[in-house]
Amino acid sequence: MTFIQTMRWFGPNDPVSLMHIRQAGCTGIVTALHQIPVGEVWSVEAIQQRIQLIEADNHRYTPLTWEVVESLPVHEDIKKGLPSRAQYIENYKVSLRNLAACGIKTVCYNFMPVLDWSRTNLHYEMPDGSLALRFVWEDFALFDLYILKRPNAEADYTPEVQEVAKRKLEGLTAEEIATLQNTVLLGLPGSNEAFELATFQGLLNNYKHIGDKELRENLYYFIQQVAPIAEEIGVNLCIHPDDPPKSLLGLPRVVSTEADLAQLMDACEVRANGITFCTGSLGVRADNDLPKIVERFGDRIHFVHLRTTKREINPLNFHEAAHLVGDVDMYEVVKAFVIEGKRRKEKGKKDAQIPMRPDHGHQMLDDLNKTGKDKSYPGYSAIGRLKGLAELRGLEVAIERGLL
């Protein structure tokens, strides 16, 4: 098959167990050492401990392997281009060498300032009663203008959006305001701890003099330093697109379009400088032609996230749709990858199969009732991802058989 089927696992405290992932039909695990502070070196010992956890039952059951690191985070000082970035880049190189020494060859990262992915609702009810992730522009404006009260935020929103946000605020309870605040400020995937509102503006202020041009320069500098090392040791780096793919909170975002990807690929032309192709992130924008992007950058795509979003009446709003519906033409995307995999195989490439994981499944069935330590991270419940993977697996098999 074209794809190596994987799922994200957040480590020993993830309520979705390795056995759950195995029984979903996966052979690959996507994980990270979330316990290590951003910027510190991932030691061989720590990496091997995680490998031992993943492979502990391989002698009894279908073997699992640590297929992809998601993510090896990039320190904010690198994104800001501070003098201290030199040490953090060196640490990053050491971590890459240690991962390679342990046999892990695919490393995902992102370059989104301050926040990772952003949503305004983690429990949006779908017509079938399942719950999805949603982003509503007016709700994000409400947070920015009236909860965070970011200086000069008005410049980022039309008068109409500001008025809608103000009216919404007047109708919210204190509990609803707190929920929106915590949703927007939710930290990295794998963590249920949000940023603190009292200190959040200070984090934004650190980017006061960093615009689109400066952030691009800092990204290209970083990749020019680390990608040649990755190429030398046989590791593929793959950047995750911005999610959502637009500027938020006055912060630039520079990995949102096909043109952004082209500039990054040109900035360092080694194959190790690659892409995590996330159909959900890129698919939010109607101007991104996803099959065309696969055809153009296929050889530089080292990891795939398959999910689809649905733009609403206001196209700035979207929610996570079921994997085979929504605005992403999943048939054409998977077909493009099947063709790419066939091309790689014909050329004798070792990575003819591409790691893929179903992303952001709906919360459904028994997962709706789980609480406490049994409640999974938003978008990463077991059953919704199982459903998505089953649909994607069937689509992949049908396309491959049709192309024989």
Side-chain angles (χ1 to χ4, degrees):
M1 296 184 72
T2 298
F3 294 122
I4 300 171
Q5 295 168 26
T6 73
M7 277 194 190
R8 196 170 193 178
W9 183 61
F10 292 111
N13 296 325
D14 193 333
V16 180
S17 70
L18 291 169
M19 189 60 77
H20 292 154
I21 293 172
R22 178 183 276 116
Q23 291 176 1
C26 296
T27 59
I29 297 298
V30 176
T31 192
L33 303 182
H34 300 287
Q35 73 276 18
I36 297 179
V38 174
E40 291 190 10
V41 170
W42 288 17
S43 69
V44 168
E45 180 183 16
I47 296 165
Q48 288 178 337
Q49 287 175 351
R50 181 56 56 89
I51 291 173
Q52 289 167 6
L53 277 177
I54 293 169
E55 297 182 355
D57 291 328
N58 282 3
H59 64 292
R60 298 179 58 199
Y61 302 106
T62 304
L64 294 175
T65 59
W66 187 355
E67 197 68 41
V68 179
V69 170
E70 186 179 355
S71 298
L72 181 56
V74 177
H75 196 276
E76 290 293 308
D77 287 9
I78 297 175
K79 298 175 187 177
K80 291 180 284 192
L82 299 179
S84 53
R85 69 179 173 180
Q87 185 59 57
Y88 289 117
I89 289 174
E90 287 306 309
N91 290 354
Y92 206 94
K93 292 176 183 177
V94 174
S95 295
L96 290 177
R97 291 188 184 279
N98 290 344
L99 286 164
C102 295
I104 300 169
K105 300 300 179 71
T106 305
V107 175
C108 174
Y109 70 101
N110 77 66
F111 218 78
M112 289 178 267
V114 185
L115 284 176
D116 200 276
W117 61 271
S118 299
R119 298 292 185 271
T120 58
N121 188 341
L122 304 178
H123 306 99
Y124 176 62
E125 189 171 46
M126 300 294 288
D128 63 2
S130 64
L131 302 180
L133 307 177
R134 189 185 188 205
F135 181 90
V136 176
W137 183 237
E138 293 87 354
D139 292 345
F140 196 87
L142 187 161
F143 165 81
D144 195 8
L145 292 165
Y146 304 116
I147 300 176
L148 177 62
K149 300 178 182 178
R150 177 171 61 90
N152 302 316
E154 295 83 1
D156 291 345
Y157 305 99
T158 65
E160 292 78 12
V161 168
Q162 294 180 45
E163 181 59 30
V164 170
K166 186 175 182 180
R167 288 201 307 269
K168 280 192 169 188
L169 175 67
E170 293 167 352
L172 293 182
T173 65
E175 183 180 1
E176 289 170 332
I177 291 172
T179 297
L180 175 61
Q181 173 183 313
N182 290 334
T183 299
V184 174
L185 294 180
L186 192 63
L188 292 171
S191 168
N192 287 310
E193 297 181 1
F195 288 99
E196 293 289 337
L197 183 67
T199 58
F200 188 68
Q201 184 61 55
L203 299 177
L204 299 181
N205 290 343
N206 290 332
Y207 282 86
K208 189 174 182 179
H209 301 295
I210 299 174
D212 182 281
K213 176 178 178 292
E214 290 78 16
L215 189 64
R216 288 181 194 274
E217 290 173 348
N218 295 340
L219 169 58
Y220 302 159
Y221 178 84
F222 166 73
I223 202 65
Q224 288 162 359
Q225 300 303 306
V226 299
I229 300 298
E231 184 86 359
E232 174 189 320
I233 61 179
V235 169
N236 284 326
L237 292 167
C238 36
I239 193 166
H240 190 288
D242 304 323
D243 184 10
K246 67 186 285 30
S247 174
L248 298 176
L249 301 172
L251 298 169
R253 289 195 162 188
V254 296
V255 192
S256 297
T257 66
E258 180 179 348
D260 292 337
L261 293 171
Q263 288 183 51
L264 177 58
M265 295 302 98
D266 290 344
C268 182
E269 296 185 347
V270 299
R271 188 170 183 261
N273 172 27
I275 298 165
T276 295
F277 191 83
C278 180
T279 54
S281 298
L282 294 169
V284 167
R285 294 182 62 119
D287 56 345
N288 280 330
D289 185 331
L290 302 192
K292 178 185 172 186
I293 295 174
V294 177
E295 292 169 7
R296 180 175 181 182
F297 301 114
D299 192 49
R300 304 281 283 276
I301 296 173
H302 305 311
F303 183 32
V304 180
H305 292 179
L306 293 182
R307 64 182 174 92
T308 184
T309 48
K310 179 65 178 176
R311 293 183 292 276
E312 301 176 8
I313 294 175
N314 176 353
L316 295 176
N317 302 342
F318 64 88
H319 61 268
E320 308 276 356
H323 282 76
L324 299 187
V325 299
D327 294 315
V328 173
D329 188 339
M330 199 62 76
Y331 173 85
E332 290 297 336
V333 169
V334 173
K335 181 180 176 182
F337 276 113
V338 169
I339 293 170
E340 170 62 19
K342 184 173 182 292
R343 185 194 64 79
R344 293 187 186 189
K345 186 175 181 180
E346 290 172 348
K347 290 193 172 185
K349 290 185 175 290
K350 294 180 180 179
D351 60 351
Q353 282 188 296
I354 307 170
M356 175 276 291
R357 67 174 179 85
D359 204 5
H360 294 187
H362 290 171
Q363 190 177 354
M364 58 177 58
L365 303 178
D366 290 349
D367 285 336
L368 289 169
N369 304 315
K370 292 176 179 175
T371 59
K373 64 181 179 59
D374 295 323
K375 186 177 181 179
S376 58
Y377 191 82
Y380 291 95
S381 57
I383 300 172
R385 288 187 292 164
L386 168 65
K387 175 177 179 283
L389 180 60
E391 294 172 343
L392 294 166
R393 183 188 297 124
L395 178 61
E396 179 189 357
V397 169
I399 291 172
E400 289 184 344
R401 289 288 297 272
L403 292 178
L404 286 177

